Amino acid sequence: MIGPDRLSRVTAGAVVPEQVVGYVGAVSGARPRMLGDCVGYVSEESLVLVGYPLHDPRDVAAMALAVNQALAVPDVRHMTVIGPTRPPQAPARAVVAEDGYFALPGPAPAPGAKLRNLLRRAGRELTLVRGRCLDETHAALVERYIAERRLAPGTRHIFRQIPRYLTVSAGAQVVSALRADGRLAAFAVGEFAALSTAFFMFCFRDPTTAPPGSTDLVLSGLLQE
């Protein structure tokens, strides 16, 4: 197991959301542990290794060493590796999927004319409010999003654990866009626990009340941080 100080260092150096220990623990219930210079999460017979070494997220050799340690963890029957490349130990039959990360430098670049106009229009109709928790209107937007889309069971589970995540992570922040009558138009969740990277975690909008640019406006609110 990892001590609290080590957990704090993992989160402080996070370059991907899966290294924010409070977030992963809240949505999965898994137990964190260090495997080499990578953090892993163990839940019953499953282990998820975040193969981005803390000293250098692109150190493939260090990732491979962490995979070796993960393979030696007792009672683990299923392992998932999230990393910059396919681990050399992965069997030929292993299922592989690719994802993409989009990054903005800090401070955020100034928006172009089209986006400025969109933000200005949305700002005339909406007021941004920052907080640390969700109320029933936020929860209703999440449930509506889940109901109207085909989502994997794991994704549905993560969305429904957002309130718990917000209570666990001191670095999480909610930016809500409210109409003049107080109705919620959109909200976004950002994570600021890491020292060098801020994460855009979640965003939801009400398609019936949100004016154009609502989600851009709440993202802009997070970027202001």
Side-chain angles (χ1 to χ4, degrees):
M1 298 299 292
I2 323 174
D5 290 344
R6 185 57 169 155
L7 289 176
S8 297
R9 289 197 291 272
V10 171
T11 298
V15 294
V16 293
E18 291 82 6
Q19 291 172 314
V20 179
V21 176
Y23 161 64
V24 177
V27 302
S28 71
R31 304 180 305 277
R33 62 178 296 169
M34 293 306 296
L35 297 160
D37 205 31
C38 298
V39 66
Y41 301 92
V42 180
S43 177
E44 298 179 350
E45 296 181 337
S46 298
L47 187 153
V48 176
L49 175 69
V50 185
Y52 293 95
L54 298 181
H55 69 275
D56 179 359
R58 295 182 177 86
D59 188 338
V60 177
M63 179 193 72
L65 290 174
V67 172
N68 283 336
Q69 292 193 22
L71 290 169
V73 175
D75 302 321
V76 170
R77 298 175 59 86
H78 308 282
M79 185 169 72
T80 300
V81 178
I82 302 171
T85 188
R86 180 189 179 103
Q89 301 94 328
R93 67 182 184 278
V95 177
V96 178
E98 292 188 2
D99 202 354
Y101 293 92
F102 296 87
L104 291 173
K114 183 177 180 180
L115 181 54
R116 286 200 305 272
N117 290 335
L118 189 63
L119 292 172
R120 190 178 302 113
R121 176 182 175 184
R124 287 196 296 264
E125 299 185 46
L126 301 171
T127 300
L128 292 185
V129 177
R130 290 168 171 79
R132 288 272 302 114
C133 60
L134 307 185
D135 61 24
E136 63 276 6
T137 59
H138 294 82
L141 272 192
V142 175
E143 287 300 325
R144 178 171 182 168
Y145 185 90
I146 292 173
E148 293 178 347
R149 288 164 175 79
R150 289 187 177 182
L151 301 170
T155 302
R156 292 172 180 267
H157 175 78
I158 288 173
F159 286 164
R160 288 182 170 133
Q161 299 306 310
I162 295 175
R164 184 181 178 204
Y165 153 55
L166 292 172
T167 66
V168 170
S169 179
Q173 183 177 113
V174 181
V175 176
S176 303
L178 305 181
R179 296 183 64 93
D181 59 6
R183 286 184 296 170
L184 179 67
F187 75 93
V189 178
E191 174 60 63
F192 297 92
L195 296 179
S196 62
T197 307
F199 300 103
F200 179 40
M201 302 293 286
F202 306 100
C203 188
F204 301 90
R205 63 182 287 272
D206 186 337
T208 61
T209 65
S214 298
T215 52
D216 300 275
L217 190 66
V218 291
L219 173 57
S220 176
L222 289 178
L223 291 174
Q224 290 172 15
E225 297 296 317

